[in-house]
Amino acid sequence: MRRCAILSEGKEISVLQEGAGEDLVFLHGYLSSKESFTCQIKYFAKYYRVTAFDFIGFGKSAPLTEAWSVGDYAAFTERLLPQLGVREGARLIAHSFGGRVALKLLSERPKQFARALLVGCAGIPPQRGFSYRCRVRAYRIAKKLAPRFAEKNFGSPEYRTLSPVMRESYKKIVNEDLTPCLEKICARTLYVFGEKDTATPLCMAEKLVQGTRGSALVVMPGCGHFCFCEDPARFNAIAREFFR
């Protein structure tokens, strides 16, 4: 196993590479890291050359210095992969926010990945009710009148833990609808979702499958958003079969 920190465009990136053969890339979720895939890395390094890295702003990589969008993360990843020796036609496993980045890459760089497994993939806007719209309106009013109060009392618990620059990035990320990317995806794509996932519920999975030509959906019973951690043996078997 090779763990290292490399410089890419002046930014330090924490990288893990293990195994040999065809390339398999992992893209982690928001506020997570490459270590979330520990069970998958150990398993798939027997069959592939595995590459996993921490996105800028997460894990052991450099912090964000400006607010990045999904497109910024995708463009940086596109430039980073050749530097890490990842060839075109690789396989991909991406989780949640990593799935957002993957949707961009798959739609804009069709030759980079031959097969993609997107688990708990984000990027489809959730259905919003009247109470949510009222809360957004209240936040906008509060932000004008009392910015500190607004930042402290509105938004998800996840959002409130972020630094100012990460908050701006977070807003860019979650407010982008990636539905237009789906019709441009050519790679064989498999969506895997936990039956009890509340962060990215099954209604989102169904829209992803409907919009992605030739894709399929596997639902893991009894699992939530981190189904690949909750039931790694089952998840690895699903991925192994798909990649074969």
Side-chain angles (χ1 to χ4, degrees), residues 101-116:
V101 177
L103 293 178
K104 282 277 190 183
L105 289 170
L106 291 167
S107 65
E108 297 173 1
R109 282 289 307 272
K111 294 182 179 180
Q112 182 63 71
F113 299 106
R115 293 189 176 227

Side-chain angles (χ1 to χ4, degrees), residues 26 35-44 46-47 93 117 119 192 194 218 220-241 243:
F26 288 89
E35 278 72 28
S36 64
F37 292 115
T38 295
C39 292
Q40 285 68 49
I41 291 169
K42 288 181 179 178
Y43 177 79
F44 283 103
K46 295 181 290 186
Y47 308 104
I93 293 179
L117 189 158
V119 51
V192 178
V218 172
M220 292 184 60
C223 293
H225 192 52
F226 283 80
C227 57
F228 59 99
C229 296
E230 297 170 57
D231 192 349
R234 179 174 172 80
F235 178 86
N236 292 350
I238 292 168
R240 175 73 172 140
E241 182 62 28
F243 288 146

Side-chain angles (χ1 to χ4, degrees), residues 15-26:
V15 178
L16 183 157
Q17 289 186 312
E18 185 175 1
E22 296 179 328
D23 285 303
L24 170 59
V25 176
F26 288 89

Side-chain angles (χ1 to χ4, degrees), residues 92-225:
L92 172 68
I93 293 179
H95 174 232
S96 195
F97 163 66
R100 293 181 189 265
V101 177
L103 293 178
K104 282 277 190 183
L105 289 170
L106 291 167
S107 65
E108 297 173 1
R109 282 289 307 272
K111 294 182 179 180
Q112 182 63 71
F113 299 106
R115 293 189 176 227
L117 189 158
L118 309 185
V119 51
C121 182
I124 302 297
Q127 295 179 342
R128 301 298 195 184
F130 177 72
S131 61
Y132 174 81
R133 293 194 294 272
C134 288
R135 187 166 176 80
V136 169
R137 194 170 182 181
Y139 167 73
R140 288 173 179 166
I141 293 171
K143 191 173 182 182
K144 289 181 180 179
L145 301 176
R148 290 186 179 179
F149 174 84
E151 292 299 323
K152 186 177 179 181
N153 293 278
F154 287 85
S156 65
E158 180 181 63
Y159 174 79
R160 292 198 293 268
T161 66
L162 302 175
S163 67
V165 68
M166 289 289 282
R167 287 183 178 184
E168 292 306 309
S169 177
Y170 182 88
K171 286 187 280 188
K172 286 185 177 185
I173 289 165
V174 300
N175 289 327
E176 183 172 0
D177 180 3
L178 296 175
T179 304
C181 293
L182 302 181
E183 64 181 7
K184 302 174 185 177
I185 295 175
C186 301
R188 288 285 303 277
T189 305
L190 178 67
Y191 294 100
V192 178
F193 275 67
E195 177 190 22
K196 298 181 178 181
D197 190 339
T198 56
T200 51
L202 289 179
C203 60
M204 293 185 183
E206 291 164 0
K207 291 180 180 179
L208 287 165
V209 174
Q210 289 169 5
T212 310
R213 183 175 59 253
S215 65
L217 170 65
V218 172
V219 178
M220 292 184 60
C223 293
H225 192 52

Side-chain angles (χ1 to χ4, degrees), residues 1-8 13-20 23-24 26 34-35 41-42 45 48-54 60 80-86:
M1 180 184 296
R2 173 180 171 239
R3 292 177 181 269
C4 64
I6 69 164
L7 279 178
S8 181
I13 309 298
S14 180
V15 178
L16 183 157
Q17 289 186 312
E18 185 175 1
D23 285 303
L24 170 59
F26 288 89
K34 60 186 179 301
E35 278 72 28
I41 291 169
K42 288 181 179 178
Y48 302 103
R49 178 178 179 265
V50 170
T51 297
F53 63 92
D54 292 336
K60 298 175 183 177
L80 176 65
L81 292 179
Q83 188 177 346
L84 298 177
V86 176

